[in-house]
DNA sequence: TTGGTTCAGTACCGATCGGTGCAGAACGGT
DNA sequence: ACCGTTCTGCACCGATCGGTACTGAACCAA
């Protein structure tokens, strides 16, 4: 009843919906939410506006789907990093992952969640808020991981997990801006090393 | 000949051009370049589109003027910080200034040069490039200051001025994103302290 | 073959985008 | 008083914005 085994009725879709979403994600990544026009999006997706609306609903929902795909794909490093054995290794993996994702050889520089809608006009406030939550969630997960590290004795009792998480997130955001500004992975990795010099023993 | 003593001929301007520019700057600050529409800009400036075009040329030149005002006003901390006696004091003043400017009690959160146009569509590439240069210039000035610090023995010979400058800039950009994300000055100051824990002796 | 259902393409919607043409108002110089 | 100059306000420009109505085309079940 209403599950996903909907019988394939009617005319079949004439394009690969996954590939279309991937391409839309890259356009949003490069242009931001407001900067990506329907014309450019559908052009890159290789479909017409009508097909896009039928498949995704509207521009906002398309962005939402693209954001989910971003989280599961290019930004998966943020989740993987949490599995590192020590807090320092988590921070290092997180930031190295950020560098890697924001400086891809074949894609747009920077981070979709930062380029997406840092500043936005009123009509796209929904997307703006969505991205604020997304970015905050990443920080909260880091904070919880660091809190566990304190419990496990991996971090000294004097360490403040929330503060450390915010610091790492700040570096991640900064890396995204620097990548958009033209810095390459080698230079950004140097910055990561510098940032972790003061990491609590 | 052709100097600034142009005789005040014709109908006098009916508004304060400085105040209008200030208000335009705040709109760009909050909305970004593309997100700020002519209607919202002129509405905040209290003038009509015609007056705006007569006084500033077009939207791009208005943004350019607003950016100059931003550099001389809210972002003047970046230049003032260079005058601090030690490299560490420079970095601290720079980042504290960034926190202060990106979390004003009466203005938009974040940094105009970051919100302005991280991602942009083709037509506003000129503004995008302008901001890239602006951000890079700030880094170069920090780098030169840190190089001087090495020469003066203020920083150890092993320190890499460019790397330190890039690290501080990265933190500054990250602070701007965190401010736009809702963090307040107290929390951001904590982050600054954390960032400087590893500063070379 | 027929009907129900879904997708694709064209042509179009009202609204808004950045930007202007034009007439008149407000000034200094003569 | 009159002129040249500059600023203002209104109406308007073509282009583009996100989004849709409508006509067929392409499929399945009966």
């Amino acid at each position: 009843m209403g599950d996903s085994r909907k019988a394939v009725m009617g005319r079949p879709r004439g394009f690969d919906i996954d590939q279309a979403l991937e391409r839309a994600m890259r356009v949003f990544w490069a242009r931001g939410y407001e900067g990506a026009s329907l014309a450019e999006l559908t052009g890159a997706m290789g479909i017409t506006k009508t097909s896009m609306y039928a498949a995704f609903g509207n521009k906002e929902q398309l962005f939402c789907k693209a954001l989910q795909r971003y989280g599961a794909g290019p930004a998966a490093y943020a989740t993987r990093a949490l599995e590192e054995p020590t807090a320092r290794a988590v921070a290092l993996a997180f930031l190295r992952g950020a560098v890697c994702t924001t400086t891809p050889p074949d894609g747009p520089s920077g981070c979709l969640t930062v380029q997406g809608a840092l500043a936005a006009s009123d009509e796209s406030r929904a997307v703006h808020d969505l991205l604020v939550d997304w970015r905050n969630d990443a920080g909260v997960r880091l904070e919880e991981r660091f809190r566990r590290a304190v419990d496990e004795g991996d971090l000294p009792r004097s360490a403040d997990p929330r503060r450390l998480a915010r610091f790492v997130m700040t570096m991640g955001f900064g890396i995204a801006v620097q990548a958009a500004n033209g810095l390459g992975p080698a230079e950004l990795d140097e910055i990561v090393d510098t940032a972790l010099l003061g990491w609590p023993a």
Side-chain angles (χ1 to χ4, degrees), chain A:
Chain A
M1 40 184 67
D3 60 358
S4 66
R5 65 171 61 243
K6 51 182 174 184
V8 274
M9 273 203 308
R11 177 173 173 176
R13 181 171 286 126
F15 61 96
D16 183 336
I17 195 170
D18 242 46
Q19 175 182 326
L21 185 56
E22 171 74 20
R23 292 182 180 175
M25 184 193 75
R26 287 169 177 265
V27 173
F28 280 129
W29 194 342
R31 306 294 197 182
Y33 176 69
E34 293 191 291
S37 72
L38 261 292
E40 187 174 7
L41 284 165
T42 55
M45 298 164 86
I47 61 178
T48 64
K49 274 190 286 186
T50 317
S51 297
M52 187 289 249
Y53 275 90
F56 298 99
N58 60 17
K59 187 186 179 184
E60 187 178 321
Q61 291 174 40
L62 175 63
F63 181 83
C64 191
K65 293 276 185 186
L67 182 60
Q68 289 173 16
R69 187 180 181 85
Y70 183 76
Y77 69 87
T79 304
R80 276 198 309 269
L82 301 176
E83 301 167 3
E84 295 290 329
T86 69
R88 191 178 202 285
V90 169
L92 185 62
F94 185 92
L95 294 178
R96 288 251 187 277
V99 169
C100 191
T101 292
T102 57
T103 58
D106 63 335
S109 296
C111 171
L112 192 156
T113 70
V114 174
Q115 325 246 59
L118 253 197
S121 48
D122 279 331
E123 68 225 9
S124 53
R125 179 146 306 240
V127 167
H128 175 266
D129 293 348
L130 180 71
L131 286 176
V132 168
D133 290 343
W134 201 97
R135 293 189 291 251
N136 281 335
D137 282 351
V140 168
R141 286 185 296 163
L142 264 185
E143 178 185 339
E144 288 167 353
R145 178 62 183 85
F146 289 156
R147 180 161 291 130
R148 201 187 86 195
V150 172
D151 292 342
E152 293 172 346
D154 170 30
L155 276 175
R157 291 236 161 261
S158 61
D160 182 344
R162 173 178 297 178
R163 198 161 151 172
L164 288 175
R166 283 175 175 158
F167 167 65
V168 172
M169 288 302 298
T170 303
M171 281 300 302
F173 295 147
I175 285 169
V177 177
Q178 292 279 37
N181 232 35
L183 256 55
E187 296 147 323
L188 292 175
D189 276 341
E190 280 187 4
I191 296 177
V192 170
D193 293 338
T194 304
L196 293 184
L197 283 180
W199 194 260

